[in-house]
Amino acid sequence: MKKTLYCLMAVLAVCFSFASCDDDDFNVNHGTHAQLPETVLAGTYSGTYTVLKADGVTVEKTVPGTITIAAGENKYTATFASASDEAVVNGAEENPIDVAWSNDEIKFWGKTTPGTTKGFLNSAVLNGTLSNGTLTFRFSKTVRSGRKTVTNFYNFEGTK
């Protein structure tokens, strides 16, 4: 009897050791936030790019631009597309960026797509905030200007 009971317990222990959880571990308590941050962030924002010279302080120009953000395929991610005729960022995409609530603001960040394709942001990181309906972010872009390579910094601020 003891041997049968011991075998039964061993079989049950083995069975329960193979139980698994859902692979989506993003069931966190968002407090007062009823929606996922990527859903709230999604939309088209119109605003302006402030283009700063390589020193990161001197304003070179201010130009109009738009940003389109869509919810990503996974929770807490989004896709990002930038367009401006004058800021040399047409077609720039980030796929995907990470999105999270930070109190009553939404923060987003991501590594930009490296490469030489015209329009890609070519920056080490992109980060920004959606606060009180205003989207702001900053990135750098390295472009070839004649024989020189020039790095400019871009600040965007806009609303839906």
Side-chain angles (χ1 to χ4, degrees):
M1 180 70 175
K2 282 186 183 181
K3 190 174 186 180
T4 306
L5 188 57
Y6 176 75
C7 288
L8 181 60
M9 289 299 205
V11 168
L12 285 174
V14 169
C15 289
F16 285 117
S17 67
F18 289 108
S20 67
C21 299
D22 186 10
D23 63 348
D24 191 353
D25 294 331
F26 292 107
N27 297 324
V28 289
N29 181 5
H30 294 294
T32 61
H33 306 296
Q35 291 181 294
L36 292 170
E38 66 271 20
T39 305
V40 176
L41 185 64
T44 300
Y45 298 83
S46 296
T48 57
Y49 281 101
T50 302
V51 183
L52 305 170
K53 292 188 177 184
D55 63 7
V57 177
T58 308
V59 174
E60 186 174 308
K61 59 184 172 180
T62 303
V63 296
T66 60
I67 303 298
T68 304
I69 300 175
E73 293 180 12
N74 300 316
K75 284 184 181 179
Y76 304 102
T77 64
T79 58
F80 182 97
S82 172
S84 173
D85 292 335
E86 300 173 51
V88 197
V89 291
N90 281 350
E93 289 188 16
E94 283 310 305
N95 220 358
I97 57 173
D98 296 314
V99 182
W101 283 107
S102 175
N103 298 321
D104 288 330
E105 296 180 335
I106 295 175
K107 303 279 188 185
F108 58 92
W109 64 95
K111 291 195 179 270
T112 60
T113 307
T116 57
T117 306
K118 182 180 177 188
F120 282 87
L121 300 179
N122 295 336
S123 178
V125 293
L126 165 91
N127 56 52
T129 304
L130 176 65
S131 179
N132 296 323
T134 301
L135 181 80
T136 57
F137 69 90
R138 181 181 174 117
F139 66 93
S140 64
K141 179 174 172 60
T142 302
V143 294
R144 194 154 180 86
S145 178
R147 291 184 174 198
K148 289 192 224 176
T149 302
V150 179
T151 299
N152 287 328
F153 294 90
Y154 296 82
N155 291 338
F156 179 84
E157 186 171 315
T159 56
K160 280 187 186 179

